[in-house]
Amino acid sequence: MTSPLRLGVNIDHVATIRNARGGMHPDPVRAAFIAAEAGADGITAHLREDRRHITDEDIDRLMERLTIPLNLEMAATEEMLEIALRHRPHAACIVPEKREERTTEGGLDAAGQDNLLRPFVSRLVEANIRVSLFIEPDPRQIEAAIRLKAPVVEFHTGLYAALEGDEQARELNRIADAAALATKNGIEAHAGHGLTFDNVVPIAAIPQLAELNIGHFLIGEAIVTGLDASVRRMRGLMDEARG
Ligand code: PXP
């Protein structure tokens, strides 16, 4: 029996739908409670520079009300560092962030940005926040994480999710090797991005991984599988109103 694998549910896209209308519904905090009730071990939220989904107020409310750990995804900027140090979430995952991207497009270049990342990692670690670096499953990036003394890395599974057949199998091996190398060096290994019911099992079977962070697919699937219940309830209310 291998050690348990934690599930972090990313609630960003509940906020994306809410923000399409600007009100309070659907509320990402309510979604976080439902995810916790359903077996999530933690909640992940990415406060982007442009606040396109999660807002500062969402982070305030999550920190106040969540009873499971919050993993704050953040770019390596002074603004985000100040927010993380003020809130002291359980964990902070440093991600690359480009204004024009639709989602995080790849891992951090930790190897090429040692000097930029070092003060972020050390200040978050000093504040007792479990810092992870979102990186590609590449030995160069793991070596950089070792140099930076990051306690955790999260491997980007986006390429694995986009590939098929032999190419996907090769990428899976790369992730498995990377997880083994990280843990051998005392770094906890997580993974995430693009994971779905169809592709999660081989990743979840990598014994060195301690946590998966999954968002977009889960929220999309919740809309599809939850639509039946919400339409039925509306139908019922309308029918009742007409006796
Ligand atoms: N991990 C990190 C670091 C991410 O940036 C994201 C996307 O916000 C995820 C995991 C989750 O990816 P997805 O939404 O594709 O499941």
Side-chain angles (χ1 to χ4, degrees):
M1 181 70 189
T2 48
S3 49
L5 178 59
R6 294 193 303 272
L7 168 62
V9 172
N10 181 316
I11 54 168
D12 291 351
H13 295 301
V14 179
T16 302
I17 298 171
R18 176 201 55 197
N19 296 357
R21 283 292 173 92
M24 287 296 288
H25 183 76
D27 179 6
V29 178
R30 182 175 165 208
F33 286 136
I34 294 169
E37 192 64 32
D41 300 289
I43 296 298
T44 294
H46 185 176
L47 186 66
R48 279 183 169 268
E49 183 199 25
D50 62 9
R51 309 303 198 264
R52 70 174 75 155
H53 37 58
I54 294 294
T55 63
D56 299 70
E57 197 194 333
D58 291 329
I59 299 295
D60 291 346
R61 291 191 307 129
L62 286 165
M63 282 303 299
E64 235 173 73
R65 298 182 52 196
L66 261 192
T67 54
I68 58 173
L70 177 68
N71 172 31
L72 175 70
E73 281 183 13
M74 53 175 273
T77 64
E78 282 302 321
E79 183 199 15
M80 290 301 148
L81 181 63
E82 184 276 316
I83 291 170
L85 293 176
R86 179 154 41 85
H87 282 294
R88 295 179 183 241
H90 167 78
C93 179
I94 305 182
V95 298
E97 196 175 298
K98 286 191 227 131
R99 205 166 293 177
E100 65 282 9
E101 71 191 354
R102 280 205 201 153
T103 180
T104 313
E105 282 169 353
L108 277 174
D109 181 17
Q113 294 184 304
D114 266 41
N115 288 342
L116 174 97
L117 293 171
R118 183 161 285 111
F120 286 91
V121 175
S122 62
R123 291 186 65 193
L124 291 165
V125 167
E126 276 162 25
N128 243 343
I129 299 169
R130 211 153 159 75
V131 185
S132 70
L133 300 178
F134 186 53
I135 57 174
E136 295 298 325
D138 170 351
R140 271 183 66 239
Q141 300 298 345
I142 299 165
E143 280 152 23
I146 297 167
R147 283 197 300 278
L148 287 164
K149 298 192 172 64
V152 183
V153 290
E154 178 170 329
F155 294 116
H156 179 236
T157 51
L159 180 61
Y160 161 82
L163 294 172
E164 288 177 5
D166 289 350
E167 284 183 334
Q168 189 180 53
R170 268 198 297 279
E171 184 63 11
L172 178 67
N173 283 336
R174 222 163 70 95
I175 296 166
D177 290 348
L181 180 62
T183 50
K184 202 176 101 195
N185 283 283
I187 298 182
E188 187 173 296
H190 299 177
H193 212 277
L195 296 177
T196 69
F197 293 152
D198 289 337
N199 65 22
V200 74
V201 171
I203 294 288
I206 297 172
Q208 292 88 354
L209 290 177
E211 178 174 308
L212 301 183
N213 282 298
I214 308 180
H216 183 267
F217 173 80
L218 284 175
I219 304 309
E221 191 63 13
I223 293 173
V224 176
T225 57
L227 192 58
D228 181 89
S230 61
V231 172
R232 275 176 205 283
R233 181 148 178 217
M234 189 60 78
R235 179 77 266 165
L237 289 168
M238 288 164 55
D239 292 347
E240 238 175 77
R242 292 296 173 101

